Amino acid sequence: MRISSAVLRQSGLPKPYATSRPLSIETLELAPPGPDEVLVKIAGAGVCHSDLSGINGDRPRPLPVALGHEASAVVEEPGSNVKDLKRGDHVVMSFLPVCGVCPSCASGRASLCEPGHAANASGTLLSGARRITCDGVEMNHHSGVSAFSEYAVISRRSMVKITDAISLTHAALFGCAVMTGVGMIVNTCKVSPGQSVGIVGLGGVGLSALLGAVAAGAGRIVAIDILPEKLELARSMGATDTFLATDPEATKEIRAATNGGVDYAVEMAGSPRAFEMAFSITRRGGTTASAGLARPDAIFQIPPVTLVADERVVRGSYMGSCVPSRDIPRYIDLFLAGKLPVDKLLSSTGPLSGINEAFDRLDRGDVVRHIIEM
């Protein structure tokens, strides 16, 4: 079938993207699903910094690629081996396919699925196949999803069936921002009621972490960003303290306000300076964790003596250390119960034709999450 899709053919074009147009809306050919794959009609797709990092060249991807990884959809046609989904079912995508049988999956660490990471790095589906072409030339899939498209063929291992009680626009947020941010708090850090949390970087993932900290019962939630308007939003979502990252006295003030630092400091900005700030506001015996994907050549520095003498913990968190089939339905249930108001992350919606302008707005920090509605 023929579909409209946003295609990235060259990274690193100059800003503004409304002028340079790194994403072109093209007509592609979409092959039928393989036995373990599903044809879906995309409903909503989030404009995320992980997409932006491919556009600006911070994280190189196989090109050309049909971009987009955070999405909700409706099942159109299950493959011949897919018996647990039917036409009309609602699904949320996982940006990492989970094979279920590799050593990482078998030990309960789905976010480290080895075949899934290999497929994403190669620009294929979990099976190794590519189902999209342009004039007979194969296109790469983005994170096994390629969500900035009218339709997509996706591995069954890259999607989670969800209730139709949530709107598909809101459901899209759970495919990356919520899964990563909330998962960081409850899975990676395992924050307990009354503990303190600092969050450096208040994009969609950082603010999702804030919501997760509120839901987990954190006693002190410190929000840090370079934009004053993000701090205002954080306060409205439950932050107890807010600080501008650009303030040269911020670290000193945070440590003073929290009696020596927070129990958990999480970095979501994807920069060494942000991580070093998170480390500096962590109390003795505390944990500093990062879900921010910096450039591959970025390096952060921490003093080993502090790591040892203060018994500090440094952790990474990919996909919120989630098992998507377990965690996405749980987080949606919390949203429906009013305990995880992720609708506050949604800044705006718009059509596929405005996608370059949407990335300009994301790059400027004008939006938390903009959803492309198909």
Side-chain angles (χ1 to χ4, degrees):
M1 65 187 300
R2 294 170 68 83
I3 62 169
S4 291
S5 182
V7 175
L8 177 68
R9 293 185 176 274
Q10 181 181 352
S11 296
L13 292 179
K15 296 180 271 191
Y17 299 129
T19 301
S20 62
R21 316 298 290 180
L23 292 173
S24 55
I25 309 303
E26 302 184 22
T27 299
L28 307 180
E29 293 287 341
L30 183 65
D36 299 306
E37 297 161 2
V38 183
L39 171 67
V40 299
K41 180 177 175 58
I42 301 294
V47 174
C48 173
H49 274 91
S50 293
D51 306 307
L52 182 60
S53 67
I55 292 171
N56 64 22
D58 281 352
R59 294 180 62 212
R61 299 186 180 279
L63 299 177
V65 59
L67 210 62
H69 70 287
E70 178 186 77
S72 61
V74 179
V75 171
E76 288 284 311
E77 179 188 347
S80 59
N81 289 346
V82 179
K83 306 301 182 184
D84 59 340
L85 291 176
K86 65 182 184 304
R87 181 181 173 88
D89 283 345
H90 291 187
V91 291
V92 166
M93 305 312 157
S94 164
F95 59 86
L96 177 72
V98 176
C99 77
V101 296
C102 71
S104 294
C105 287
S107 65
R109 304 192 71 180
S111 59
L112 300 181
C113 176
E114 294 156 21
H117 279 280
N120 281 2
S122 299
T124 70
L125 301 182
L126 184 61
S127 65
R130 293 180 176 86
R131 303 297 184 195
I132 42 180
T133 58
C134 182
D135 297 328
V137 178
E138 286 188 333
M139 306 286 293
N140 291 294
H141 296 261
H142 180 202
S143 299
V145 181
S146 293
F148 297 140
S149 305
E150 294 175 302
Y151 292 85
V153 168
I154 301 173
S155 169
R156 174 64 184 90
R157 296 290 186 170
S158 293
M159 63 183 66
V160 176
K161 183 180 177 181
I162 63 167
T163 175
D164 60 6
I166 182 174
S167 78
L168 285 166
T169 297
H170 287 143
L173 299 166
F174 289 80
C176 177
V178 176
M179 181 164 57
T180 302
V182 176
M184 161 74 96
I185 297 299
V186 301
N187 293 328
T188 307
C189 294
K190 295 180 171 59
V191 173
S192 297
Q195 291 186 307
S196 56
V197 177
I199 302 166
V200 183
L202 301 176
V205 175
L207 288 170
S208 292
L210 193 158
L211 292 176
V214 172
R220 198 82 178 262
I221 304 173
V222 181
I224 304 141
D225 199 87
I226 62 174
L227 298 175
E229 54 268 31
K230 292 287 184 67
L231 300 183
E232 183 178 349
L233 178 59
R235 283 191 290 270
S236 75
M237 295 169 67
T240 59
D241 306 83
T242 57
F243 295 87
L244 271 174
T246 53
D247 181 353
E249 298 296 314
T251 295
K252 180 180 178 181
E253 291 173 0
I254 293 167
R255 291 185 64 85
T258 56
N259 193 28
V262 295
D263 296 310
Y264 296 93
V266 298
E267 181 271 317
M268 306 297 198
S271 80
R273 286 186 63 188
F275 183 86
E276 288 162 6
M277 183 176 196
F279 188 81
S280 71
I281 65 169
T282 306
R283 72 171 65 252
R284 298 187 71 197
T287 295
T288 309
S290 175
L293 287 166
R295 290 177 56 94
D297 58 354
I299 301 294
F300 67 81
Q301 294 183 331
I302 57 175
V305 66
T306 301
L307 193 67
V308 175
D310 291 352
E311 292 194 353
R312 302 278 285 277
V313 176
V314 175
R315 296 205 58 178
S317 178
Y318 190 74
M319 203 169 71
S321 305
C322 282
V323 177
S325 60
R326 177 196 69 194
D327 292 325
I328 288 176
R330 288 180 177 177
Y331 299 161
I332 288 177
D333 285 345
L334 288 171
F335 167 70
L336 293 173
K339 298 177 181 179
L340 197 68
V342 302
D343 52 313
K344 293 182 179 181
L345 304 174
L346 183 59
S347 303
S348 56
T349 62
L352 186 61
S353 59
I355 193 167
N356 286 295
E357 291 80 3
F359 275 105
D360 279 326
R361 295 176 64 204
L362 179 70
D363 185 61
R364 293 192 301 264
D366 295 345
V367 296
V368 176
R369 267 301 187 269
H370 175 88
I371 298 292
I372 302 294
E373 293 184 319
M374 301 296 172

